[in-house]
Amino acid sequence: MDRLKKGEVNMAVTFKDGVILGADSRTTTGAYIANRVTDKLTQVHDTIWCCRSGSAADTQAVADIVKYQLELFAMMNGKPPTTQTAGAIFQEICYSNKDRLSAGLIIAGWDERHGGQVYSIPLGGSLHKQPYSIGGSGSTYIYGYCDANWREGMEEAEAVSFVKEALKEAIKWDGSSGGVIRMVVLTAKGADRHLYLPDTDYKVRHQ
Amino acid sequence: MTSIGTGYDLANSIFSPDGRNFQVEYAVKAVENGGTSIGIRCKDGVVLAVEKIVTSKLLKPGANKRIATVDRHLGVVYSGMIPDGRHFIDRARDEARSWRDTFKTPISTADLASRMGGYMQAYTLYQSVRPFGITAIVGGFDSTEEAPVDGEVGSGPACGAGGKVAGKTHGGPFLYMIEPSGLYWGYYGAATGKGRQAAKAELEKLDLGGPGGPTLTLEQAVKEAARIIYVAHDDSKDKEFELEMTWISGADGPTKGCIGRERLSVGEKALDEDEDEEEGKEEKMEE
């Protein structure tokens, strides 16, 4: 049976003031688009978010557990968790249940001590710290684009446009990526959501 | 004592009518009979020292260490009942280990103090147990550097992450003291055991709590700690004792962020007769 699959393309990128997460919005069951406006960017703490790809059910369940753990951590320790803490908890769950999960995650967050950080947790449950990370089936089409265009210490506007152009490229070539482009910008100021629609060729920021 | 014979001192979990737990107060008495322990939080590290009473000439000098390592960056010294202290340390090690298992990062000194404070408090609640007969001093150095997640694959990107809050410092030396009631506070300098009064008087003379932080360096603090243990020692009560001490610095200091692996332990005679002892100690700091 075909289960709900998603995360056909998503990415997270560090820039000068923090980190940006971006994703398309397509959820499929086989060839059928079950949801064309999915939100794959999930908040697990104030300025720690994740991009979910793989099984919708698995990644939602894992994100829910981590969200609970991080809330508990913040209350018990009187300080917000770091992106590293979130990455560690995500990894433990993904690694110890590797036989039963189909989850590819990118964790991105901003904290006072480390600034913006990106961690990726691919299928086996390993943890990788990266300057930027791309994931999902659509990501295979944009390895070259990202390698050629990513730069260290971009301004926010540059980084937003980098993410958008990369996702547009993935959506263009990958059949299982599509719909709207969603982004979250995480900085010292908090979390800021972006939405771009295909009918204006993703030019206008909505909301 | 007025409490004797009233029955309120026979068990934990029963308050006396004026709101005291006598078992906890008796535990404090046990601590007050133990050899003096002190801790000093200085500019670039923490020093722990203990006056180890020699109860028998048949005990091998320098053996039977009293200061314990709980994690790479954490040390504990205690006064009171030694077996209780050993159990306390076992538990502290378990807590440090389980923190690393869940969060993939070393436990902070404050978090360890909180966990152990909670543990000791639980022993004041139940009929079936008695409070710990120790007061423990926990010293540690929380990393000021950025450390990777334990088990993270690769060293990560060469470029730094963006958006750090500039000018904010993190980590540093920390010192906590936990009492039999489970009460714990953070201290600039801490003393417990027999000679605590004299030791506290000496600690208060040091510059440990200024507005800009302590000015005392680790090297000075090591000498002060040794001196204070000697000042606090009462010759008329116990003739023989050993001074045991250790210290911990940041990553750029002599112990490189880890608690000193060797425990400096000297007998009374060694320190009295050998005027060059201070130099000997400095050499040892390069471990």
Side-chain angles (χ1 to χ4, degrees), chain B residues 14-97:
Chain B
I14 297 180
F15 273 121
S16 82
D18 48 352
R20 295 157 64 186
N21 181 339
F22 287 111
Q23 282 299 312
V24 168
E25 293 183 23
Y26 298 158
V28 172
K29 291 265 182 272
V31 173
E32 288 171 358
N33 291 329
T36 314
S37 304
I38 61 164
I40 301 177
R41 175 179 175 270
C42 47
K43 191 171 75 178
D44 47 355
V46 180
V47 181
L48 300 175
V50 59
E51 168 205 32
K52 201 163 65 179
I53 311 281
V54 178
T55 51
S56 161
K57 290 223 182 294
L58 295 172
L59 287 166
K60 183 174 175 240
N64 305 310
K65 295 287 190 276
R66 279 282 304 282
I67 305 176
T69 301
V70 164
D71 200 341
R72 288 170 64 86
H73 62 300
L74 290 166
V76 171
V77 66
Y78 55 89
S79 291
M81 301 175 73
I82 291 163
D84 288 25
R86 296 237 170 89
H87 177 70
F88 177 91
I89 281 157
D90 280 351
R91 177 67 187 205
R93 285 178 179 147
D94 287 349
E95 290 290 351
R97 186 66 245 169

Side-chain angles (χ1 to χ4, degrees), chain A residues 156 164 192-196 202-207:
Chain A
E156 180 173 333
K164 201 204 287 174
D192 186 22
R193 265 190 176 283
H194 291 223
L195 173 68
Y196 301 93
Y202 305 106
K203 281 199 180 78
V204 188
R205 182 181 169 188
H206 288 266
Q207 271 182 352

Side-chain angles (χ1 to χ4, degrees), chain A residues 76-123:
Chain A
M76 289 203 313
N77 300 291
K79 59 184 179 243
T82 62
T83 313
Q84 297 193 333
T85 306
I89 299 172
F90 266 114
Q91 188 208 13
E92 189 60 34
I93 296 169
C94 290
Y95 179 73
S96 52
N97 299 294
K98 59 153 81 186
D99 300 341
R100 303 191 291 151
L101 286 177
S102 159
L105 296 160
I106 298 173
I107 322 301
W110 178 91
D111 64 72
E112 243 182 33
R113 181 164 189 171
H114 306 94
Q117 284 188 310
V118 172
Y119 284 93
S120 114
I121 304 175
L123 237 45

Side-chain angles (χ1 to χ4, degrees), chain A residues 9 20-21 35 42 63 80-82 92 102 119 136 138 180 189 192 203:
Chain A
V9 62
I20 299 179
L21 299 89
N35 187 348
T42 304
T82 62
E92 189 60 34
S102 159
Y119 284 93
V180 306
K189 286 180 269 177
D192 186 22
K203 281 199 180 78

